[in-house]
Amino acid sequence: MTSNTLNIEFDYVETHHDEDLVCQICMSPFVNPLTCPGCQQSCCASHTPLTNCPFCRESWTSRPPVLPPRALLNMLDKFLVRCPNSNCNRGRGGAPLQRGDLPSHMPMCAVPCTHNCGVLVAPRDVEAHSASCAAFVLTCESPGCTHRAPRSAMPAHLVACPAAVVACPHGCPHRGPRR
């Protein structure tokens, strides 16, 4: 069984599901289901921070909820879902994938760069890409300058920045602001 550690809502291809696979609290297919040891009813784990079963009201202090049978978990993982990334060929209109495969798919699924450079980046590579992205906005490092520009435009700004520390144009060892 694959748990929903992605913090996303599943976009199911089918709209009707077997009622035995649907949580009676949220009326959606179970997500990380837990089962009451007393009444054997299941619900999504997100509904169980309670101290009592939401169905039979049995206290869970002495007998906490348990995982449902493996067969139920396997059936849930076979539901077809769409990737939440609209740029993915498994997203809108693309080939769906099994719900259980989504957690391993997402780290490799390309998303557009958040800095709008036009590059598609795997989520696991976003931080590394940002470190070199030409569209990433930087603040000028010159003391007292608050100018912000994309990384690709910063060299041109530094050439003319009035606050940039430069060598004396007369050849002496003094260094100071360009102003």
Side-chain angles (χ1 to χ4, degrees):
M1 183 206 82
T2 306
S3 64
N4 182 12
T5 57
L6 302 172
N7 257 353
I8 61 165
E9 286 191 34
F10 292 115
D11 181 7
Y12 294 99
V13 173
E14 302 99 8
T15 56
H16 177 71
H17 302 100
D18 182 328
E19 67 183 36
D20 293 330
L21 302 175
V22 172
C23 174
Q24 295 304 304
I25 296 174
C26 65
M27 302 309 290
S28 293
F30 292 115
V31 175
N32 302 334
L34 292 174
T35 301
C36 174
C39 69
Q40 297 295 301
Q41 290 273 28
S42 296
C43 65
C44 299
S46 62
H47 308 307
T48 59
L50 311 168
T51 56
N52 297 332
C53 172
F55 303 106
C56 71
R57 302 289 180 215
E58 178 180 317
S59 173
W60 282 345
T61 54
S62 59
R63 289 191 340 166
V66 296
L67 288 176
R70 168 69 52 197
L72 174 74
L73 301 176
N74 291 342
M75 286 187 279
L76 292 167
D77 278 350
K78 290 181 183 175
F79 278 129
L80 294 179
V81 297
R82 293 177 193 89
C83 176
N85 176 4
S86 60
N87 294 304
C88 176
N89 65 354
R90 302 214 116 168
R92 311 287 174 256
L97 61 157
Q98 289 187 348
R99 186 175 103 168
D101 294 336
L102 193 59
S104 60
H105 166 78
M106 288 302 293
M108 299 174 285
C109 181
V111 297
C113 170
T114 57
H115 310 295
N116 298 316
C117 71
V119 173
L120 294 176
V121 184
R124 66 172 181 253
D125 299 329
V126 168
E127 190 174 323
H129 172 73
S130 291
S132 63
C133 177
F136 185 83
V137 176
L138 300 171
T139 300
C140 180
E141 295 178 3
S142 300
C145 182
T146 58
H147 181 77
R148 294 176 51 81
R151 180 178 275 118
S152 61
M154 194 53 72
H157 166 73
L158 289 173
V159 169
C161 177
V165 176
V166 294
C168 175
H170 305 294
C172 73
H174 176 72
R175 294 180 55 80
R178 181 174 281 124
R179 301 175 218 190

